[in-house]
Amino acid sequence: MNNKTLIVTNIIILVCIIIGLIWFMFWGFNLKFNFGGVDKKIIKTENFKIEDIKSIISDVKSYDLVLTEGKSDEVKVEFYSSDKNKNNLNIVNKNGILTVEQTGSSICFGFCNMDSEIIIYVPSGFLGKINFSSNSGDIEVLTDLLGSDYNIKTTSGDIALGYLNTCKIRSISGSVSIDKGKSVDIATTSGDVIIDKLEEASIKTVSGEIDINNLLSGGNFNTTSGDIEINNFMIDKNTRFETTSGEIEINLLNEALINVSTVSGEKDIKSSYGEYKLDVKTVSGDVKIK
């Protein structure tokens, strides 16, 4: 067999292998084919009296975590997964501290459907502290617990929250989205922060943007390699915005004493006078305050 014939033969074999792999992928997806995947169903449920719970702590590795409002006056924990994971979650109440902890990890090969989920139901009047931590799962809060303090931390997972009164959030490789917040402390690495309504905050991102629709009061906002955009800002305290390599755009609804510093960016600023200071600093980004 000469070299030309060998090359043609190898090309034909390679094309056949590629076609086979593509067909195998589509066949697997259509049939929901997986190795070690999750056939999700409810496999564990625990109920606790509301008066017996002072705080909720959840530490999970790969499961999604949801906090929502229940219809009863009890705290209920539901675990959705496959039967093989039924012993991988401990739910314990000790001295008023409800702990929900993942003890095993889910490892799969091939086409996997990793959608194990923990849902915690609490009454609307729950005033206890919330402390959630996740390594590679999303955290979602669907209820408005005005009296609760939140401490939430994720690695490689997104955070979505409703109405928070006091909250501390830390995220690595995940975005943070909040409907309404007050007195929030947020720090992210490789994740954007998106908030609809916010009153007073400290937000810091590395490789992430800060996007706030409505900001009341003020605070400190800092990004590295990310833009800052405030659509509506009613300032009533001294506030600072700072970015290393990103643009800053603010729609200021009232007056402020504006001080802008930029090394290599253009400035477009409204008239500067007022009771509160608005300090804005960029290294290589434009600043627009209207």
Side-chain angles (χ1 to χ4, degrees):
M1 182 180 295
N2 56 40
N3 290 336
K4 184 176 180 180
T5 303
L6 181 61
I7 292 173
V8 172
T9 302
N10 289 337
I11 292 174
I12 293 174
I13 294 174
L14 181 61
V15 170
C16 291
I17 291 174
I18 293 173
I19 293 174
L21 288 173
I22 294 174
W23 175 86
F24 183 72
M25 289 175 63
F26 279 105
W27 177 70
F29 283 124
N30 289 333
L31 295 181
K32 297 182 180 179
F33 181 69
N34 65 82
F35 298 103
V38 175
D39 181 17
K40 189 175 75 171
K41 61 181 180 180
I42 185 168
I43 60 173
K44 182 177 288 189
T45 301
E46 297 281 351
N47 293 275
F48 304 89
K49 294 181 180 179
I50 182 62
E51 58 266 25
D52 295 337
I53 305 299
K54 299 177 182 178
S55 64
I56 302 174
I57 298 175
S58 184
D59 186 2
V60 296
K61 301 173 184 177
S62 57
Y63 302 154
D64 291 338
L65 183 60
V66 177
L67 179 70
T68 189
E69 184 176 334
K71 296 181 179 180
S72 71
D73 58 355
E74 293 185 319
V75 175
K76 181 170 67 172
V77 181
E78 293 181 345
F79 181 33
Y80 292 82
S81 189
S82 65
D83 289 329
K84 69 174 185 176
N85 292 325
K86 63 182 179 181
N87 296 321
N88 288 347
L89 190 74
N90 285 337
I91 305 172
V92 179
N93 177 29
K94 185 176 181 179
N95 299 324
I97 301 175
L98 176 60
T99 302
V100 181
E101 181 180 19
Q102 181 181 348
T103 58
S105 60
S106 298
I107 302 176
C108 68
F109 303 93
F111 302 101
C112 299
N113 183 20
M114 301 298 292
D115 58 353
S116 296
E117 184 177 57
I118 302 162
I119 301 179
I120 301 176
Y121 298 89
V122 294
S124 59
F126 180 72
L127 301 177
K129 294 184 178 181
I130 308 294
N131 192 327
F132 287 167
S133 177
S134 174
N135 282 341
S136 58
D138 297 337
I139 295 177
E140 187 174 12
V141 176
L142 301 177
T143 184
D144 299 341
L145 300 178
L146 302 183
S148 295
D149 292 340
Y150 289 81
N151 191 332
I152 298 176
K153 180 180 179 181
T154 67
T155 301
S156 301
D158 296 331
I159 299 173
L161 308 173
Y163 189 2
L164 308 177
N165 193 28
T166 302
C167 184
K168 181 178 180 180
I169 298 173
R170 299 293 182 264
S171 174
I172 299 176
S173 299
S175 64
V176 176
S177 62
I178 300 174
D179 291 337
K180 299 178 182 179
K182 181 179 180 181
S183 299
V184 300
D185 178 1
I186 302 174
T188 72
T189 301
S190 301
D192 297 336
V193 176
I194 303 171
I195 302 175
D196 185 26
K197 296 181 180 179
L198 179 63
E199 180 179 349
E200 193 173 347
S202 173
I203 301 177
K204 182 177 182 179
T205 71
V206 178
S207 300
E209 298 183 356
I210 298 174
D211 189 344
I212 302 173
N213 191 28
N214 297 284
L215 176 61
L216 175 64
S217 187
N220 294 291
F221 306 85
N222 183 288
T223 71
T224 302
S225 301
D227 298 336
I228 298 176
E229 183 174 355
I230 312 297
N231 293 330
N232 299 287
F233 181 22
M234 181 69 72
I235 187 171
D236 67 1
K237 67 176 294 184
N238 295 339
T239 299
R240 181 176 180 85
F241 294 93
E242 184 173 355
T243 179
T244 301
S245 57
E247 298 181 353
I248 297 176
E249 184 172 345
I250 301 170
N251 180 23
L252 186 60
L253 301 180
N254 56 343
E255 307 302 333
L257 186 61
I258 303 171
N259 179 34
V260 175
S261 172
T262 179
V263 176
S264 57
E266 297 182 354
K267 296 185 290 184
D268 182 4
I269 305 167
K270 65 182 294 184
S271 300
S272 175
Y273 60 90
E275 178 181 358
Y276 303 104
K277 294 181 180 179
L278 176 57
D279 291 321
V280 180
K281 180 179 179 181
T282 72
V283 176
S284 56
D286 297 337
V287 176
K288 182 177 182 180
I289 303 175
K290 57 183 180 178

